[in-house]
Amino acid sequence: DIQMTQSPSTLSASVGDRVTITCRASQSIINWLAWYQQKPGKAPKLLIYKASSLHSGVPSRFSGSGSGTEFTLTISSLQSDDFATYYCQQYNSHSWTFGQGTKVEIK
Amino acid sequence: EVQVVESGGGLVQPGRSLRLSCAVSGFTFDDYAMHWVRQVPGKGLEWVSGINWRSDSIGYADSVKGRFTISRDNAKNSLYLQMNSLRTEDTALYYCAKGGGPGIAAAGIPVDYWGQGTLVTVSS
């Protein structure tokens, strides 16, 4: 299986900060990468697909980039509603894998 | 409105079996792949299995391969997960999720709607 490694595991930030989360794949996944946001007690929500495509209804402060094995999720100006856990996920093959998650906390 | 509702979770002893179901509405079920994703409370997400629109392309995580079987009944708008030889490490909240298209790999949106999950507890 393709392994996905996210960094950092935890990130402390303030409202208005620019935040970047990195995801690395153990082999090339071209651009078949998604990013999800999850809040406690809730199902995940899709933010980004195909590495850089913004899902319908997702605020434009979220953006994704990368290809091959290195990917990033950027929140341009962190809002109070953005404190949550973020997961990357590859869907290049018939066996999908998630990163271990990055918790964005209030500084 | 898209609705995804899981059922069938509960407490089961190690080595026993359990069948999860997922009932959907609000979209044309047989146009889309479907997936199961699980999450140990307080931990990360783990993709379990996916099935394409016509059930001829199926994938499993290595951790469940040979023990779990995914299936769907397009006439009943339902997805299933047969879980055999359950282990304590299978304890988790199991989510059913709608694919963004008919296939399960390398195409468009992976999943776009999720249920609220059904809890499976494997314990003696």
Side-chain angles (χ1 to χ4, degrees), chain A residues 32-100:
Chain A
W32 301 112
L33 183 102
W35 290 95
Y36 299 86
Q37 178 195 69
Q38 188 180 34
K39 295 182 178 179
K42 300 293 187 181
K45 289 185 178 179
L46 178 66
L47 300 174
I48 302 285
Y49 64 96
K50 280 186 73 177
S52 61
S53 296
L54 195 67
H55 186 49
S56 175
V58 175
S60 59
R61 63 181 180 271
F62 291 94
S63 64
S65 64
S67 65
T69 61
E70 296 277 341
F71 301 88
T72 59
L73 172 70
T74 299
I75 309 173
S76 61
S77 179
L78 196 67
Q79 301 301 300
S80 57
D81 190 49
D82 302 337
F83 291 98
T85 300
Y86 294 83
Y87 295 93
C88 64
Q89 178 227 344
Q90 68 80 17
Y91 55 112
N92 179 60
S93 68
H94 283 70
S95 184
W96 296 3
T97 42
F98 286 90
Q100 79 277 18

Short mmCIF file of all heavy atoms in Angstrom, two decimals, chain A residues 32-100:
data_model
loop_
_atom_site.label_atom_id
_atom_site.label_comp_id
_atom_site.label_asym_id
_atom_site.label_seq_id
_atom_site.Cartn_x
_atom_site.Cartn_y
_atom_site.Cartn_z
N TRP A 32 -3.59 12.51 -7.63
CA TRP A 32 -4.80 11.92 -7.05
C TRP A 32 -4.76 12.01 -5.53
O TRP A 32 -4.61 11.02 -4.81
CB TRP A 32 -4.96 10.48 -7.54
CG TRP A 32 -5.06 10.40 -9.02
CD1 TRP A 32 -4.15 9.87 -9.88
CD2 TRP A 32 -6.11 10.95 -9.85
NE1 TRP A 32 -4.56 10.03 -11.18
CE2 TRP A 32 -5.77 10.69 -11.20
CE3 TRP A 32 -7.31 11.64 -9.59
CZ2 TRP A 32 -6.57 11.08 -12.26
CZ3 TRP A 32 -8.10 12.02 -10.66
CH2 TRP A 32 -7.73 11.74 -11.97
N LEU A 33 -4.87 13.25 -5.07
CA LEU A 33 -4.81 13.53 -3.65
C LEU A 33 -5.96 14.43 -3.24
O LEU A 33 -6.29 15.40 -3.93
CB LEU A 33 -3.49 14.22 -3.29
CG LEU A 33 -3.40 14.44 -1.77
CD1 LEU A 33 -2.49 13.42 -1.12
CD2 LEU A 33 -3.00 15.84 -1.41
N ALA A 34 -6.55 14.11 -2.09
CA ALA A 34 -7.64 14.90 -1.54
C ALA A 34 -7.28 15.36 -0.13
O ALA A 34 -6.45 14.74 0.55
CB ALA A 34 -8.92 14.08 -1.50
N TRP A 35 -7.93 16.43 0.28
CA TRP A 35 -7.81 16.94 1.65
C TRP A 35 -9.19 17.03 2.27
O TRP A 35 -10.14 17.49 1.62
CB TRP A 35 -7.18 18.34 1.66
CG TRP A 35 -5.73 18.39 1.29
CD1 TRP A 35 -5.21 18.65 0.05
CD2 TRP A 35 -4.61 18.18 2.16
NE1 TRP A 35 -3.84 18.62 0.10
CE2 TRP A 35 -3.44 18.34 1.38
CE3 TRP A 35 -4.48 17.89 3.52
CZ2 TRP A 35 -2.16 18.22 1.92
CZ3 TRP A 35 -3.20 17.76 4.04
CH2 TRP A 35 -2.06 17.92 3.26
N TYR A 36 -9.30 16.59 3.53
CA TYR A 36 -10.55 16.62 4.27
C TYR A 36 -10.35 17.39 5.58
O TYR A 36 -9.27 17.39 6.16
CB TYR A 36 -11.03 15.20 4.62
CG TYR A 36 -11.31 14.34 3.42
CD1 TYR A 36 -10.29 13.61 2.81
CD2 TYR A 36 -12.59 14.22 2.90
CE1 TYR A 36 -10.54 12.81 1.71
CE2 TYR A 36 -12.86 13.41 1.81
CZ TYR A 36 -11.83 12.72 1.23
OH TYR A 36 -12.07 11.92 0.13
N GLN A 37 -11.45 17.97 6.04
CA GLN A 37 -11.50 18.61 7.35
C GLN A 37 -12.46 17.81 8.22
O GLN A 37 -13.55 17.44 7.76
CB GLN A 37 -12.02 20.04 7.21
CG GLN A 37 -12.17 20.79 8.52
CD GLN A 37 -13.01 22.05 8.34
OE1 GLN A 37 -14.21 21.98 8.09
NE2 GLN A 37 -12.36 23.21 8.45
N GLN A 38 -12.07 17.56 9.45
CA GLN A 38 -12.97 16.87 10.37
C GLN A 38 -12.99 17.57 11.71
O GLN A 38 -11.95 17.90 12.28
CB GLN A 38 -12.56 15.40 10.57
CG GLN A 38 -13.59 14.60 11.37
CD GLN A 38 -13.21 13.16 11.57
OE1 GLN A 38 -12.04 12.83 11.71
NE2 GLN A 38 -14.21 12.28 11.61
N LYS A 39 -14.21 17.79 12.20
CA LYS A 39 -14.41 18.36 13.53
C LYS A 39 -14.89 17.26 14.46
O LYS A 39 -15.50 16.27 14.01
CB LYS A 39 -15.39 19.52 13.45
CG LYS A 39 -14.82 20.68 12.62
CD LYS A 39 -15.76 21.86 12.59
CE LYS A 39 -15.12 22.99 11.78
NZ LYS A 39 -16.01 24.17 11.70
N PRO A 40 -14.70 17.40 15.77
CA PRO A 40 -15.06 16.35 16.72
C PRO A 40 -16.53 15.95 16.61
O PRO A 40 -17.42 16.81 16.56
CB PRO A 40 -14.76 17.00 18.08
CG PRO A 40 -13.68 17.98 17.79
CD PRO A 40 -13.98 18.53 16.44
N GLY A 41 -16.76 14.64 16.55
CA GLY A 41 -18.11 14.12 16.49
C GLY A 41 -18.79 14.24 15.13
O GLY A 41 -19.97 13.89 15.01
N LYS A 42 -18.06 14.68 14.13
CA LYS A 42 -18.64 14.88 12.79
C LYS A 42 -17.90 14.05 11.75
O LYS A 42 -16.75 13.68 11.94
CB LYS A 42 -18.56 16.36 12.39
CG LYS A 42 -19.30 17.30 13.32
CD LYS A 42 -20.80 17.08 13.26
CE LYS A 42 -21.54 18.12 14.06
NZ LYS A 42 -23.02 17.89 14.02
N ALA A 43 -18.59 13.77 10.65
CA ALA A 43 -17.95 13.09 9.53
C ALA A 43 -16.99 14.07 8.83
O ALA A 43 -17.18 15.29 8.91
CB ALA A 43 -19.00 12.60 8.54
N PRO A 44 -15.98 13.55 8.15
CA PRO A 44 -15.08 14.43 7.40
C PRO A 44 -15.81 15.16 6.29
O PRO A 44 -16.84 14.70 5.78
CB PRO A 44 -14.06 13.45 6.81
CG PRO A 44 -14.15 12.24 7.66
CD PRO A 44 -15.58 12.15 8.08
N LYS A 45 -15.24 16.31 5.91
CA LYS A 45 -15.76 17.09 4.78
C LYS A 45 -14.65 17.26 3.75
O LYS A 45 -13.52 17.61 4.10
CB LYS A 45 -16.23 18.47 5.25
CG LYS A 45 -17.48 18.46 6.07
CD LYS A 45 -17.93 19.90 6.37
CE LYS A 45 -19.21 19.93 7.15
NZ LYS A 45 -19.65 21.30 7.46
N LEU A 46 -14.98 17.04 2.49
CA LEU A 46 -14.01 17.20 1.42
C LEU A 46 -13.73 18.68 1.18
O LEU A 46 -14.66 19.48 1.05
CB LEU A 46 -14.55 16.56 0.14
CG LEU A 46 -13.68 16.69 -1.11
CD1 LEU A 46 -12.38 15.90 -0.94
CD2 LEU A 46 -14.44 16.19 -2.34
N LEU A 47 -12.45 19.02 1.14
CA LEU A 47 -12.04 20.40 0.85
C LEU A 47 -11.47 20.52 -0.57
O LEU A 47 -11.85 21.39 -1.33
CB LEU A 47 -10.95 20.85 1.83
CG LEU A 47 -11.28 20.87 3.31
CD1 LEU A 47 -10.03 21.21 4.10
CD2 LEU A 47 -12.41 21.85 3.60
N ILE A 48 -10.50 19.67 -0.87
CA ILE A 48 -9.72 19.72 -2.10
C ILE A 48 -9.67 18.33 -2.71
O ILE A 48 -9.52 17.35 -2.00
CB ILE A 48 -8.27 20.18 -1.80
CG1 ILE A 48 -8.23 21.55 -1.12
CG2 ILE A 48 -7.42 20.16 -3.07
CD1 ILE A 48 -8.51 22.73 -2.01
N TYR A 49 -9.76 18.24 -4.03
CA TYR A 49 -9.55 16.97 -4.73
C TYR A 49 -8.64 17.21 -5.93
O TYR A 49 -8.42 18.36 -6.34
CB TYR A 49 -10.89 16.34 -5.16
CG TYR A 49 -11.67 17.17 -6.16
CD1 TYR A 49 -11.59 16.90 -7.52
CD2 TYR A 49 -12.49 18.22 -5.73
CE1 TYR A 49 -12.30 17.66 -8.44
CE2 TYR A 49 -13.19 18.99 -6.65
CZ TYR A 49 -13.10 18.70 -7.99
OH TYR A 49 -13.80 19.45 -8.88
N LYS A 50 -8.08 16.15 -6.47
CA LYS A 50 -7.09 16.23 -7.54
C LYS A 50 -6.02 17.25 -7.21
O LYS A 50 -5.61 18.05 -8.05
CB LYS A 50 -7.76 16.56 -8.88
CG LYS A 50 -8.39 15.35 -9.55
CD LYS A 50 -8.92 15.66 -10.92
CE LYS A 50 -7.79 15.84 -11.93
NZ LYS A 50 -8.29 16.07 -13.29
N ALA A 51 -5.58 17.23 -5.97
CA ALA A 51 -4.47 18.02 -5.43
C ALA A 51 -4.76 19.52 -5.30
O ALA A 51 -4.31 20.14 -4.34
CB ALA A 51 -3.21 17.81 -6.26
N SER A 52 -5.51 20.09 -6.23
CA SER A 52 -5.66 21.55 -6.22
C SER A 52 -7.05 22.05 -6.58
O SER A 52 -7.25 23.26 -6.65
CB SER A 52 -4.64 22.18 -7.19
OG SER A 52 -4.87 21.72 -8.51
N SER A 53 -8.00 21.14 -6.80
CA SER A 53 -9.37 21.56 -7.16
C SER A 53 -10.19 21.77 -5.90
O SER A 53 -10.30 20.86 -5.07
CB SER A 53 -10.01 20.51 -8.05
OG SER A 53 -9.34 20.40 -9.28
N LEU A 54 -10.78 22.95 -5.80
CA LEU A 54 -11.58 23.30 -4.62
C LEU A 54 -12.98 22.69 -4.76
O LEU A 54 -13.66 22.89 -5.77
CB LEU A 54 -11.68 24.82 -4.51
CG LEU A 54 -12.16 25.42 -3.20
CD1 LEU A 54 -11.15 25.18 -2.09
CD2 LEU A 54 -12.42 26.91 -3.37
N HIS A 55 -13.39 21.93 -3.74
CA HIS A 55 -14.72 21.31 -3.77
C HIS A 55 -15.79 22.39 -3.64
O HIS A 55 -15.57 23.45 -3.04
CB HIS A 55 -14.85 20.30 -2.64
CG HIS A 55 -16.13 19.50 -2.65
ND1 HIS A 55 -16.61 18.88 -3.78
CD2 HIS A 55 -17.03 19.25 -1.67
CE1 HIS A 55 -17.74 18.28 -3.51
NE2 HIS A 55 -18.03 18.49 -2.22
N SER A 56 -16.94 22.11 -4.21
CA SER A 56 -18.06 23.05 -4.19
C SER A 56 -18.39 23.51 -2.78
O SER A 56 -18.51 22.69 -1.85
CB SER A 56 -19.28 22.36 -4.82
OG SER A 56 -20.41 23.18 -4.72
N GLY A 57 -18.52 24.82 -2.61
CA GLY A 57 -18.93 25.38 -1.34
C GLY A 57 -17.80 25.63 -0.35
O GLY A 57 -18.03 26.21 0.72
N VAL A 58 -16.59 25.21 -0.69
CA VAL A 58 -15.44 25.39 0.22
C VAL A 58 -14.88 26.80 0.04
O VAL A 58 -14.66 27.24 -1.10
CB VAL A 58 -14.37 24.34 -0.06
CG1 VAL A 58 -13.12 24.58 0.79
CG2 VAL A 58 -14.92 22.94 0.21
N PRO A 59 -14.62 27.51 1.12
CA PRO A 59 -14.11 28.89 1.01
C PRO A 59 -12.78 28.96 0.26
O PRO A 59 -11.95 28.06 0.36
CB PRO A 59 -13.93 29.32 2.47
CG PRO A 59 -14.86 28.47 3.24
CD PRO A 59 -14.89 27.15 2.54
N SER A 60 -12.58 30.05 -0.45
CA SER A 60 -11.40 30.20 -1.30
C SER A 60 -10.10 30.40 -0.50
O SER A 60 -9.02 30.39 -1.09
CB SER A 60 -11.59 31.37 -2.27
OG SER A 60 -11.82 32.56 -1.55
N ARG A 61 -10.20 30.56 0.82
CA ARG A 61 -8.97 30.65 1.61
C ARG A 61 -8.23 29.30 1.69
O ARG A 61 -7.08 29.26 2.08
CB ARG A 61 -9.26 31.17 3.02
CG ARG A 61 -10.14 30.30 3.87
CD ARG A 61 -10.38 30.92 5.23
NE ARG A 61 -11.25 30.11 6.09
CZ ARG A 61 -12.57 30.21 6.10
NH1 ARG A 61 -13.17 31.07 5.28
NH2 ARG A 61 -13.29 29.44 6.91
N PHE A 62 -8.94 28.24 1.31
CA PHE A 62 -8.31 26.92 1.24
C PHE A 62 -7.75 26.71 -0.16
O PHE A 62 -8.42 26.98 -1.16
CB PHE A 62 -9.32 25.81 1.54
CG PHE A 62 -9.78 25.77 2.96
CD1 PHE A 62 -10.95 26.43 3.33
CD2 PHE A 62 -9.08 25.07 3.93
CE1 PHE A 62 -11.39 26.41 4.64
CE2 PHE A 62 -9.51 25.03 5.25
CZ PHE A 62 -10.66 25.71 5.61
N SER A 63 -6.51 26.21 -0.23
CA SER A 63 -5.94 25.88 -1.53
C SER A 63 -5.00 24.69 -1.38
O SER A 63 -4.46 24.44 -0.30
CB SER A 63 -5.20 27.07 -2.13
OG SER A 63 -4.09 27.42 -1.33
N GLY A 64 -4.83 23.96 -2.46
CA GLY A 64 -3.95 22.81 -2.47
C GLY A 64 -2.99 22.88 -3.63
O GLY A 64 -3.30 23.49 -4.66
N SER A 65 -1.82 22.27 -3.44
CA SER A 65 -0.83 22.25 -4.52
C SER A 65 0.00 20.98 -4.41
O SER A 65 -0.07 20.26 -3.41
CB SER A 65 0.06 23.49 -4.46
OG SER A 65 0.82 23.49 -3.26
N GLY A 66 0.78 20.74 -5.46
CA GLY A 66 1.69 19.61 -5.45
C GLY A 66 1.37 18.59 -6.51
O GLY A 66 0.30 18.62 -7.13
N SER A 67 2.32 17.68 -6.71
CA SER A 67 2.14 16.57 -7.63
C SER A 67 3.21 15.54 -7.34
O SER A 67 4.22 15.85 -6.69
CB SER A 67 2.20 17.02 -9.09
OG SER A 67 3.50 17.51 -9.39
N GLY A 68 3.00 14.33 -7.82
CA GLY A 68 3.98 13.27 -7.59
C GLY A 68 3.90 12.74 -6.17
O GLY A 68 3.02 11.94 -5.85
N THR A 69 4.82 13.19 -5.31
CA THR A 69 4.86 12.70 -3.94
C THR A 69 4.74 13.79 -2.87
O THR A 69 4.63 13.47 -1.69
CB THR A 69 6.16 11.92 -3.66
OG1 THR A 69 7.28 12.81 -3.84
CG2 THR A 69 6.29 10.72 -4.60
N GLU A 70 4.77 15.05 -3.26
CA GLU A 70 4.75 16.15 -2.28
C GLU A 70 3.55 17.06 -2.51
O GLU A 70 3.37 17.58 -3.62
CB GLU A 70 6.04 16.97 -2.40
CG GLU A 70 7.30 16.21 -2.07
CD GLU A 70 7.58 16.16 -0.58
OE1 GLU A 70 7.03 16.98 0.16
OE2 GLU A 70 8.38 15.28 -0.17
N PHE A 71 2.79 17.27 -1.44
CA PHE A 71 1.56 18.04 -1.56
C PHE A 71 1.42 18.96 -0.35
O PHE A 71 1.93 18.66 0.73
CB PHE A 71 0.35 17.11 -1.63
CG PHE A 71 0.41 16.16 -2.79
CD1 PHE A 71 1.04 14.93 -2.66
CD2 PHE A 71 -0.16 16.49 -4.02
CE1 PHE A 71 1.13 14.05 -3.73
CE2 PHE A 71 -0.08 15.62 -5.09
CZ PHE A 71 0.57 14.41 -4.95
N THR A 72 0.72 20.07 -0.55
CA THR A 72 0.46 20.98 0.55
C THR A 72 -0.97 21.47 0.54
O THR A 72 -1.59 21.63 -0.53
CB THR A 72 1.40 22.21 0.53
OG1 THR A 72 1.21 22.90 -0.71
CG2 THR A 72 2.85 21.82 0.68
N LEU A 73 -1.49 21.68 1.74
CA LEU A 73 -2.77 22.36 1.94
C LEU A 73 -2.44 23.69 2.62
O LEU A 73 -1.72 23.71 3.62
CB LEU A 73 -3.69 21.54 2.83
CG LEU A 73 -4.99 22.23 3.27
CD1 LEU A 73 -5.94 22.39 2.08
CD2 LEU A 73 -5.67 21.46 4.40
N THR A 74 -2.96 24.76 2.08
CA THR A 74 -2.72 26.09 2.64
C THR A 74 -4.05 26.75 2.99
O THR A 74 -5.00 26.70 2.19
CB THR A 74 -1.95 26.98 1.66
OG1 THR A 74 -0.67 26.39 1.38
CG2 THR A 74 -1.72 28.37 2.25
N ILE A 75 -4.11 27.32 4.18
CA ILE A 75 -5.23 28.17 4.58
C ILE A 75 -4.66 29.58 4.64
O ILE A 75 -3.77 29.86 5.46
CB ILE A 75 -5.82 27.75 5.94
CG1 ILE A 75 -6.13 26.25 5.95
CG2 ILE A 75 -7.09 28.56 6.23
CD1 ILE A 75 -6.55 25.71 7.31
N SER A 76 -5.14 30.45 3.78
CA SER A 76 -4.47 31.74 3.61
C SER A 76 -4.64 32.66 4.81
O SER A 76 -3.74 33.42 5.16
CB SER A 76 -4.98 32.44 2.35
OG SER A 76 -6.38 32.67 2.45
N SER A 77 -5.79 32.60 5.45
CA SER A 77 -6.06 33.42 6.63
C SER A 77 -6.99 32.62 7.53
O SER A 77 -8.19 32.56 7.28
CB SER A 77 -6.69 34.75 6.23
OG SER A 77 -6.97 35.54 7.37
N LEU A 78 -6.42 32.03 8.56
CA LEU A 78 -7.14 31.09 9.42
C LEU A 78 -8.33 31.77 10.10
O LEU A 78 -8.20 32.87 10.67
CB LEU A 78 -6.18 30.52 10.46
CG LEU A 78 -6.61 29.27 11.21
CD1 LEU A 78 -6.68 28.06 10.26
CD2 LEU A 78 -5.62 28.98 12.33
N GLN A 79 -9.48 31.14 10.01
CA GLN A 79 -10.68 31.63 10.68
C GLN A 79 -11.02 30.72 11.85
O GLN A 79 -10.56 29.57 11.93
CB GLN A 79 -11.84 31.67 9.69
CG GLN A 79 -11.58 32.56 8.48
CD GLN A 79 -11.30 33.99 8.86
OE1 GLN A 79 -12.14 34.65 9.47
NE2 GLN A 79 -10.12 34.48 8.49
N SER A 80 -11.86 31.20 12.76
CA SER A 80 -12.20 30.43 13.96
C SER A 80 -12.85 29.10 13.60
O SER A 80 -12.70 28.10 14.31
CB SER A 80 -13.11 31.25 14.88
OG SER A 80 -14.27 31.64 14.19
N ASP A 81 -13.58 29.06 12.49
CA ASP A 81 -14.26 27.84 12.06
C ASP A 81 -13.28 26.80 11.52
O ASP A 81 -13.66 25.65 11.27
CB ASP A 81 -15.29 28.19 10.99
CG ASP A 81 -16.20 27.01 10.67
OD1 ASP A 81 -16.74 26.39 11.62
OD2 ASP A 81 -16.37 26.68 9.48
N ASP A 82 -12.02 27.17 11.31
CA ASP A 82 -11.05 26.27 10.69
C ASP A 82 -10.28 25.43 11.69
O ASP A 82 -9.49 24.57 11.28
CB ASP A 82 -10.04 27.08 9.85
CG ASP A 82 -10.71 27.90 8.76
OD1 ASP A 82 -11.84 27.55 8.36
OD2 ASP A 82 -10.09 28.90 8.32
N PHE A 83 -10.50 25.65 12.98
CA PHE A 83 -9.80 24.83 13.97
C PHE A 83 -10.43 23.43 13.95
O PHE A 83 -11.61 23.25 14.28
CB PHE A 83 -9.84 25.47 15.35
CG PHE A 83 -9.02 26.73 15.41
CD1 PHE A 83 -9.61 27.97 15.28
CD2 PHE A 83 -7.64 26.66 15.56
CE1 PHE A 83 -8.85 29.13 15.30
CE2 PHE A 83 -6.87 27.81 15.60
CZ PHE A 83 -7.48 29.05 15.46
N ALA A 84 -9.63 22.47 13.51
CA ALA A 84 -10.13 21.13 13.21
C ALA A 84 -8.93 20.23 12.90
O ALA A 84 -7.78 20.67 13.01
CB ALA A 84 -11.06 21.18 11.99
N THR A 85 -9.23 18.99 12.54
CA THR A 85 -8.17 18.07 12.10
C THR A 85 -8.29 17.90 10.59
O THR A 85 -9.39 17.76 10.05
CB THR A 85 -8.28 16.72 12.81
OG1 THR A 85 -8.16 16.93 14.23
CG2 THR A 85 -7.18 15.78 12.36
N TYR A 86 -7.14 17.90 9.93
CA TYR A 86 -7.08 17.82 8.47
C TYR A 86 -6.36 16.53 8.05
O TYR A 86 -5.33 16.17 8.64
CB TYR A 86 -6.37 19.05 7.89
CG TYR A 86 -7.16 20.31 8.14
CD1 TYR A 86 -7.07 20.99 9.35
CD2 TYR A 86 -8.06 20.78 7.18
CE1 TYR A 86 -7.83 22.12 9.60
CE2 TYR A 86 -8.82 21.92 7.40
CZ TYR A 86 -8.70 22.58 8.63
OH TYR A 86 -9.46 23.70 8.86
N TYR A 87 -6.93 15.86 7.06
CA TYR A 87 -6.35 14.61 6.56
C TYR A 87 -6.12 14.72 5.06
O TYR A 87 -6.98 15.22 4.32
CB TYR A 87 -7.31 13.45 6.79
CG TYR A 87 -7.58 13.11 8.23
CD1 TYR A 87 -8.66 13.67 8.91
CD2 TYR A 87 -6.77 12.21 8.92
CE1 TYR A 87 -8.91 13.35 10.23
CE2 TYR A 87 -7.02 11.88 10.25
CZ TYR A 87 -8.08 12.47 10.89
OH TYR A 87 -8.34 12.15 12.20
N CYS A 88 -4.97 14.20 4.63
CA CYS A 88 -4.79 13.99 3.20
C CYS A 88 -5.15 12.54 2.90
O CYS A 88 -5.18 11.69 3.80
CB CYS A 88 -3.36 14.30 2.77
SG CYS A 88 -2.06 13.25 3.47
N GLN A 89 -5.44 12.28 1.64
CA GLN A 89 -5.83 10.93 1.21
C GLN A 89 -5.45 10.73 -0.24
O GLN A 89 -5.74 11.59 -1.07
CB GLN A 89 -7.34 10.74 1.38
CG GLN A 89 -7.87 9.39 0.93
CD GLN A 89 -9.10 9.49 0.06
OE1 GLN A 89 -9.76 10.53 0.02
NE2 GLN A 89 -9.42 8.44 -0.64
N GLN A 90 -4.81 9.59 -0.52
CA GLN A 90 -4.49 9.29 -1.92
C GLN A 90 -5.52 8.31 -2.47
O GLN A 90 -6.00 7.43 -1.75
CB GLN A 90 -3.06 8.72 -2.06
CG GLN A 90 -2.82 7.35 -1.46
CD GLN A 90 -3.29 6.19 -2.34
OE1 GLN A 90 -3.52 6.35 -3.54
NE2 GLN A 90 -3.45 5.01 -1.74
N TYR A 91 -5.87 8.52 -3.75
CA TYR A 91 -6.81 7.62 -4.41
C TYR A 91 -6.30 7.28 -5.81
O TYR A 91 -7.06 7.15 -6.76
CB TYR A 91 -8.24 8.17 -4.42
CG TYR A 91 -8.44 9.55 -4.99
CD1 TYR A 91 -9.14 9.72 -6.18
CD2 TYR A 91 -7.99 10.70 -4.34
CE1 TYR A 91 -9.38 10.97 -6.71
CE2 TYR A 91 -8.22 11.96 -4.87
CZ TYR A 91 -8.91 12.10 -6.05
OH TYR A 91 -9.14 13.35 -6.56
N ASN A 92 -5.00 7.10 -5.89
CA ASN A 92 -4.37 6.75 -7.15
C ASN A 92 -4.62 5.30 -7.53
O ASN A 92 -4.68 4.96 -8.72
CB ASN A 92 -2.86 6.99 -7.03
CG ASN A 92 -2.11 6.62 -8.30
OD1 ASN A 92 -2.36 7.19 -9.35
ND2 ASN A 92 -1.19 5.67 -8.19
N SER A 93 -4.74 4.44 -6.55
CA SER A 93 -4.88 3.01 -6.80
C SER A 93 -6.23 2.51 -6.29
O SER A 93 -7.05 3.29 -5.79
CB SER A 93 -3.76 2.27 -6.07
OG SER A 93 -3.95 2.36 -4.66
N HIS A 94 -6.42 1.19 -6.38
CA HIS A 94 -7.64 0.59 -5.86
C HIS A 94 -7.56 0.34 -4.36
O HIS A 94 -8.44 -0.30 -3.79
CB HIS A 94 -7.92 -0.74 -6.58
CG HIS A 94 -8.49 -0.53 -7.94
ND1 HIS A 94 -7.77 -0.03 -8.98
CD2 HIS A 94 -9.74 -0.74 -8.44
CE1 HIS A 94 -8.54 0.05 -10.06
NE2 HIS A 94 -9.73 -0.36 -9.76
N SER A 95 -6.50 0.82 -3.73
CA SER A 95 -6.38 0.73 -2.27
C SER A 95 -5.99 2.12 -1.77
O SER A 95 -4.88 2.56 -1.94
CB SER A 95 -5.31 -0.30 -1.88
OG SER A 95 -5.26 -0.45 -0.48
N TRP A 96 -6.96 2.80 -1.19
CA TRP A 96 -6.75 4.18 -0.76
C TRP A 96 -6.08 4.22 0.61
O TRP A 96 -6.24 3.31 1.41
CB TRP A 96 -8.09 4.91 -0.65
CG TRP A 96 -8.83 5.06 -1.93
CD1 TRP A 96 -8.49 4.58 -3.16
CD2 TRP A 96 -10.07 5.75 -2.10
NE1 TRP A 96 -9.43 4.95 -4.09
CE2 TRP A 96 -10.42 5.66 -3.45
CE3 TRP A 96 -10.92 6.45 -1.24
CZ2 TRP A 96 -11.58 6.24 -3.97
CZ3 TRP A 96 -12.08 7.03 -1.75
CH2 TRP A 96 -12.39 6.92 -3.10
N THR A 97 -5.38 5.32 0.89
CA THR A 97 -4.82 5.51 2.21
C THR A 97 -4.91 6.97 2.63
O THR A 97 -4.81 7.88 1.78
CB THR A 97 -3.35 5.06 2.29
OG1 THR A 97 -2.65 5.49 1.11
CG2 THR A 97 -3.21 3.56 2.42
N PHE A 98 -5.08 7.16 3.93
CA PHE A 98 -5.12 8.49 4.54
C PHE A 98 -3.80 8.78 5.24
O PHE A 98 -3.11 7.86 5.70
CB PHE A 98 -6.23 8.57 5.59
CG PHE A 98 -7.61 8.64 5.04
CD1 PHE A 98 -8.34 7.47 4.80
CD2 PHE A 98 -8.23 9.85 4.77
CE1 PHE A 98 -9.63 7.51 4.30
CE2 PHE A 98 -9.52 9.91 4.28
CZ PHE A 98 -10.22 8.74 4.03
N GLY A 99 -3.48 10.06 5.36
CA GLY A 99 -2.43 10.47 6.26
C GLY A 99 -2.93 10.36 7.69
O GLY A 99 -4.12 10.13 7.94
N GLN A 100 -2.04 10.56 8.64
CA GLN A 100 -2.39 10.35 10.05
C GLN A 100 -3.13 11.54 10.65
O GLN A 100 -3.62 11.45 11.78
CB GLN A 100 -1.13 10.04 10.87
CG GLN A 100 -0.29 11.26 11.23
CD GLN A 100 0.67 11.70 10.14
OE1 GLN A 100 0.53 11.34 8.97
NE2 GLN A 100 1.65 12.48 10.53
#
